[in-house]
């Protein structure tokens, strides 16, 4: 297969890491076993644009085992795990991606996926879907449907649909309860802290830690930073989420206030220009800046570059910027997703649920996609419930079942005092 990766010599290490992830992803592994004989994805060519990590490798193997052909590119210039890409290429999986892609190379990889003329797409951030719509509209007729993994991708696709420009059905996997309330919260919470620690090795206890955005990801990061003893401040633009943060016991204020005292900053908003030159000017010497939102637009890297008189990489994924007055600010992972660029992304156990939703949604599209009109669709409730049920089983957790009387009671609510 004509893959393009960084170093085929890394395949052995990649295989071992994928094998380890497989031992932590029991839901996906069960789905693999259940579908490997019947091959319900036979005849499907799936084009993927998703972080190339061990967990993605487990998903790709599962899709292949269910009969699909897959062609893959990474969805971020810094998130590809080169050993995983090498392992997949050795398994004859068509894969295009390496860590440190330029913008041109990034879109070249996506183009290679499109050259295979996929009839299902799997996106994380919607760059594949946008490339089809903008540069290859002739391919739309081949596509039965697609799935979207992340919040920002879903926002972009809904915007496209509202303008009447989305040309095929997409399932917003991000919005499944077993994805958004777990992957974004516990996955981002743990892995973003992991990325900050690997890039800095700083002590979190006693630090002033500022989280911009108290949605799913921000809530997870704030919770885990507090667990390590940091004093957590939250900034928000949405009143209900700000209130939730305040009642959870976090200090809530504006970024222009938080900037003065913060030691570590992380953005988790999906918005742009959350930390800009005005904030940077107020920051203390030594402040650390990072982002865990999808694109590298939350911390203004341009502003930092313009303010600084010099920069040097002081540790991997950690750039020291020195200001004309000698103050130093540190930007992690070039302002890209700190958990994927400076660490390994979410732990496998939580991606197990996200990717089980991906697998089952693609199966659903393969069966029923042709009956759906263009638009953004929720993951069917049954899939969400199925993922939760299997996950509980694999965790050996049993829950109660309604008695007939209880079922009657809660469906009627006729009985009062
Ligand atoms: N790092 C990862 O691995 C990872 C995983 C999942 C999602 N994401 C990305 O993280 C981002 C957030 O996702 P989410 O699921 O938490 O979304 P969400 O909608 O649940 O939360 C976003 C929050 O940010 C707030 N916000 C928006 N603009 C703001 C601003 N200028 N200042 C302060 N707060 C602001 C919103 O009010 C909201 O509460 C998205 O870009 C998503 O794609 C990253």
């Amino acid at each position: 297969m004509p893959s393009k990766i960084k170093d085929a010599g890394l395949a052995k290490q990649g295989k071992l890491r994928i094998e380890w992830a497989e031992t932590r992803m029991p839901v996906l592994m069960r789905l693999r076993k259940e579908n490997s004989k019947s091959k319900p994805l036979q005849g499907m060519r799936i084009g993927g644009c998703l972080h190339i990590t061990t967990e993605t490798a487990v998903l790709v193997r599962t899709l292949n085992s269910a009969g699909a052909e897959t062609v893959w590119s990474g969805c971020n210039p810094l998130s590809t795990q080169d050993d995983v890409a090498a392992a997949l290429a050795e398994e004859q999986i068509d894969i295009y991606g390496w860590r440190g892609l330029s913008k041109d190379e990034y879109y070249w990889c996506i183009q290679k996926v499109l050259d295979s003329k996929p009839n299902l797409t799997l996106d994380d951030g919607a760059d594949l879907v946008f490339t089809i719509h903008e540069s290859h509209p002739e391919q739309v007729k081949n596509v039965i449907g697609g799935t979207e993994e992340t919040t920002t991708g879903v926002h972009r696709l809904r915007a496209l649909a509202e303008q009447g420009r989305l040309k095929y059905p997409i399932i917003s996997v991000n919005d499944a309860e077993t994805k958004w309330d777990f992957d974004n919260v516990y996955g981002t919470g743990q892995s973003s802290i992991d990325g900050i620690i690997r890039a800095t090795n700083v002590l979190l206890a006693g630090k002033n830690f500022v989280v911009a955005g108290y949605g799913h990801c921000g809530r997870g990061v704030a919770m885990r930073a507090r667990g390590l003893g940091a004093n957590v401040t939250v900034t928000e633009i949405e009143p209900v989420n700000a209130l939730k943060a305040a009642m959870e016991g976090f200090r809530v204020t504006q970024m222009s206030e938080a900037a003065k005292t913060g030691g570590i900053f992380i953005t988790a908003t999906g918005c742009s220009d959350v930390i800009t030159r005005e904030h940077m000017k107020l920051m203390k010497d030594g402040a650390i800046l990072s982002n865990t939102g999808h694109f590298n637009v939350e911390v203004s890297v341009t502003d930092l570059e313009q303010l600084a008189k010099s920069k040097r990489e002081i540790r991997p994924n950690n750039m020291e910027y020195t200001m004309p007055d000698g103050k130093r600010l540190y930007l992690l992972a070039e302002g890209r997703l700190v958990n994927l660029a400076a660490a390994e992304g979410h732990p496998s156990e939580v991606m197990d649920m996200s990717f089980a939703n991906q697998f089952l949604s693609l199966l659903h599209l393969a069966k029923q996609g042709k009956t759906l009109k263009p638009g953004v669709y929720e993951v069917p409730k049954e899939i969400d419930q199925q993922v939760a049920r299997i996950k509980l089983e694999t965790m050996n957790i049993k829950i109660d079942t309604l008695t007939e009387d209880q079922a009657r009671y809660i469906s009627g609510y006729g009985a009062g005092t």
Side-chain angles (χ1 to χ4, degrees):
M1 289 276 186
S3 293
K4 187 158 165 50
I5 55 164
K6 187 167 273 172
D7 180 1
L10 298 172
K12 190 172 169 206
Q13 176 189 315
K15 273 188 196 309
L16 288 173
R17 291 182 59 241
I18 298 168
E19 246 183 76
W20 167 252
E22 284 180 339
T23 70
R24 310 283 119 183
M25 300 181 80
V27 181
L28 205 51
M29 294 305 281
R30 185 183 297 187
L31 293 173
R32 186 187 295 180
K33 199 165 163 206
E34 284 172 4
N35 291 283
S36 62
K37 285 218 177 72
S38 56
K39 304 224 177 289
L41 291 174
Q42 197 97 53
M44 294 294 133
R45 246 186 336 279
I46 303 177
C49 180
L50 182 67
H51 303 291
I52 302 172
T53 63
T54 50
E55 293 75 24
T56 295
V58 180
L59 172 62
V60 172
R61 283 180 174 181
T62 306
L63 293 167
N64 291 149
S65 157
E69 279 174 47
T70 51
V71 186
W72 227 255
S73 71
C75 67
N76 183 287
L78 284 187
S79 67
T80 293
Q81 297 172 3
D82 289 318
D83 56 348
V84 171
L88 290 176
E90 198 177 271
E91 290 173 21
Q92 307 301 310
I93 290 165
D94 218 353
I95 186 141
Y96 299 89
W98 55 96
R99 186 187 160 98
L101 294 168
S102 67
K103 195 170 179 183
D104 285 350
E105 289 168 335
Y106 177 77
Y107 281 102
W108 179 86
C109 292
I110 289 184
Q111 182 56 48
K112 296 309 278 181
V113 171
L114 292 181
D115 288 349
S116 75
K117 301 204 168 39
N119 48 20
L120 289 173
T121 62
L122 189 166
D123 234 319
D124 183 327
D127 282 342
L128 181 61
V129 176
F130 270 74
T131 308
I132 294 180
H133 279 67
E134 282 164 8
S135 310
H136 293 283
E138 77 287 354
Q139 289 215 10
V140 164
K141 62 179 185 316
N142 305 329
V143 184
I144 299 169
T147 58
E148 172 51 52
E149 171 73 7
T150 198
T151 321
T152 286
V154 173
H155 288 324
R156 294 180 79 194
L157 293 166
R158 290 221 167 97
L160 202 64
E162 271 162 31
Q163 295 160 13
R165 291 169 52 217
L166 181 61
K167 299 284 186 241
Y168 63 86
I170 309 263
I171 297 186
S172 58
V173 166
N174 180 71
D175 300 353
E177 272 186 277
T178 48
K179 197 281 182 185
W180 209 2
D181 288 347
F182 296 87
D183 165 322
N184 299 37
V185 181
Y186 306 104
T188 312
Q190 179 169 323
S191 61
S192 302
I193 301 285
D194 186 13
I196 291 170
I197 292 175
R198 289 197 207 194
T200 62
N201 197 29
V202 292
L203 184 73
L204 265 75
K207 284 278 183 316
N208 288 332
F209 191 102
V210 181
V211 182
Y214 195 75
H216 294 71
C217 295
R219 179 154 60 87
V221 175
M223 177 188 356
R224 293 301 179 238
R226 175 157 70 185
L228 285 167
N231 303 310
V232 178
T233 297
V234 167
T235 72
E236 251 298 342
I237 47 133
E238 203 281 321
V240 176
N241 285 358
L243 202 54
K244 284 184 186 168
M247 296 232 179
E248 195 51 45
F250 297 115
R251 176 177 172 239
V252 179
T253 187
Q254 293 166 313
M255 185 55 82
S256 51
E257 265 312 298
K260 296 175 193 163
T261 51
I264 303 175
F265 295 80
I266 182 162
T267 50
T269 68
C271 185
S272 66
D273 298 316
V274 180
I275 296 181
T276 58
R277 68 175 63 228
E278 284 66 40
H279 308 120
M280 293 166 189
K281 283 181 184 164
L282 297 169
M283 286 177 186
K284 296 187 302 184
D285 180 37
I288 295 164
L289 281 64
S290 63
N291 164 53
T292 200
H294 190 75
F295 288 121
N296 61 338
V297 295
E298 306 206 11
V299 176
S300 174
V301 183
T302 315
D303 283 1
L304 197 50
E305 296 270 343
Q306 285 173 358
L307 284 177
K309 74 168 197 296
S310 64
K311 67 173 182 181
R312 59 176 177 159
E313 190 177 40
I314 192 156
R315 286 169 59 96
N317 297 306
N318 185 341
M319 190 68 79
E320 179 186 72
Y321 287 85
T322 304
M323 305 297 137
D325 65 358
K327 179 171 90 176
R328 291 153 304 173
L329 298 179
Y330 296 89
L331 177 68
L332 307 188
E334 301 173 19
R336 296 192 183 276
L337 298 151
V338 70
N339 61 328
L340 280 141
E344 293 173 61
H346 295 5
S348 309
E349 286 87 344
V350 83
M351 294 315 293
D352 191 23
M353 296 159 71
S354 307
F355 287 172
N357 275 294
Q358 283 287 2
F359 180 81
L360 292 169
S361 296
L362 287 164
L363 221 58
H364 177 73
L365 284 169
K367 281 188 200 140
Q368 296 186 29
K370 284 187 179 144
T371 65
L372 300 174
K373 292 197 174 73
V376 179
Y377 290 80
E378 300 281 315
V379 171
K381 192 78 192 156
E382 313 81 73
I383 291 184
D384 224 345
Q385 293 277 305
Q386 185 184 355
V387 172
R389 223 176 5 252
I390 305 178
K391 189 71 177 175
L392 283 171
E393 269 174 46
T394 65
M395 294 168 80
N396 214 8
I397 294 172
K398 293 190 169 50
I399 59 170
D400 288 327
T401 312
L402 288 176
T403 62
E404 274 180 30
D405 282 350
Q406 285 173 321
R408 217 172 5 258
Y409 177 79
I410 61 168
S411 62
Y413 283 111
T417 318

